[in-house]
DNA sequence: GTCATGGGCTACCCGATGGTAACGAGGTCG
DNA sequence: CGACCTCGTTACCATCGGGTAGCCCATGAC
């Protein structure tokens, strides 16, 4: 027997559950039935709250992406210099990863890159991050090259996180962030 | 009317065509009919040469992965020191990317990470690369941390490549490799 | 010419899955 | 009480896509 929930509660519960299901199996690997079952409910209920599988997924990644970008923006806002900005930015990123592996997997697990529409969303996120990072790079470098570097620095965080998440164990985000920021900052300084 | 090919020729042609089709649409996004059509042939022909969609895909990624790892191993084999090894390793990587975007997209486009079996294959490839990179990192660092750094350095190449490939334009792999290797090497030295 | 070999095709099966129509059941308010 | 509103269910449709059975026809050897 299913517990009856109010519409907003049910909607939020579906989002919570869907995050985990899609994180585990990916967009194509998880069916709407899977999501419904995990929510302890049947399929039509999902369609009372979301127009389609795509819409449900999009709402998820928008939420998660904004949470990530917001955390980084907030953390770096009042940093005194580039070095502190680098450190705090990575710190916010790795804390976000460590706090909820599902969110990381949802965004960077791969499903996002395999679909034109979702790819655009993910690109918007990484481009936003790259735009924030680019000013840290020596100003006399060609802007196009700056962007390549910026994406490289984002890739550092993504790959290190993937490695850590795949290992399954917990990790100390601040320690990782400190080490990675040291590597990135040294790399950046070498360009000047 | 279809051109008749001998079995080995047809098999190879299917592999060539499948690389492009899967690269464009991903494993789930491309159907066997799509592959067949692109090869100018019908579905049963594919199944005369490959047991299943999975097997076809696996053969592709094995080929491509081995090509990448082989190129890097060959390039770094006789490098005199760590710095040269770093530079030549990235050079081989970016040359591989620039030479055939499809191969890069196939491996790192995302499809690979969404499936337990394929994920293992991709992990084998990146772990091999990480094992090759780890010795370049200061020996007095904790081995687990070394691996995190190694994966971070791989991520640099992957993310920079993705950015370049998504932009669509050609790029000079040696120039990119030189710059990225500079960044990575400066980062590595800072750890000592 | 004819006949065997083998490469290719048409037509089909069937399971999975996104999505929907129509129907309960239980609380609430006049 | 009875009308109604809302949350949920059962049962279904339609399509897609992996995979297969069985047939056809081009080619080359003799």
């Amino acid at each position: 027997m299913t517990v009856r929930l109010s519409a907003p509660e049910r909607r939020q519960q579906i989002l919570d559950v869907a995050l985990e299901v899609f994180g585990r199996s990916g967009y194509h690997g998880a069916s709407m039935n899977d999501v419904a079952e995990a929510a302890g409910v049947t399929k039509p209920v999902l369609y009372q709250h979301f127009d389609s599988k795509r819409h449900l997924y999009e709402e998820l990644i928008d939420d998660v992406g904004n949470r990530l970008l917001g955390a980084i923006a907030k953390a770096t806002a009042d940093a005194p210099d580039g070095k502190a900005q680098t450190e705090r930015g990575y710190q916010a990123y790795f804390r976000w990863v460590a706090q909820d592996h599902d969110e990381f997997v949802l965004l960077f697990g791969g499903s996002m890159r395999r679909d034109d529409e979702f790819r655009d969303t993910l690109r918007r996120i990484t481009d936003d991050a790259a735009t924030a990072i680019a000013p840290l790079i020596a100003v006399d470098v060609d802007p196009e090259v700056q962007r390549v570097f910026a994406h490289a620095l984002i890739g550092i965080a993504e790959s290190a996180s993937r490695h850590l998440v795949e290992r399954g164990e917990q990790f100390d985000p601040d320690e990782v962030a400190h080490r990675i920021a040291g590597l990135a900052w040294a790399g950046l300084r070498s360009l000047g």
Side-chain angles (χ1 to χ4, degrees), chain A residues 33-49:
Chain A
N33 261 324
D34 295 337
V35 176
E37 196 179 351
V41 111
T42 56
K43 220 178 4 167
V45 174
L46 305 187
Y47 287 93
Q48 284 169 6
H49 299 278

Side-chain angles (χ1 to χ4, degrees), chain A residues 93 104 154-164:
Chain A
Y93 186 99
F104 172 77
I154 294 167
I156 290 179
E158 180 183 334
S159 290
S161 299
R162 176 152 31 242
H163 173 67
L164 290 164

Side-chain angles (χ1 to χ4, degrees), chain A residues 26-79:
Chain A
Y27 181 74
H28 289 292
S31 70
M32 286 300 257
N33 261 324
D34 295 337
V35 176
E37 196 179 351
V41 111
T42 56
K43 220 178 4 167
V45 174
L46 305 187
Y47 287 93
Q48 284 169 6
H49 299 278
F50 303 94
D51 287 346
S52 66
K53 189 184 184 184
R54 281 195 104 70
H55 278 79
L56 168 56
Y57 197 76
E58 266 165 25
E59 182 156 341
L60 273 180
I61 59 184
D62 276 349
D63 289 354
V64 171
N66 288 335
R67 240 161 5 233
L68 170 59
L69 289 180
I72 294 178
K74 191 176 161 195
T76 56
D78 55 353

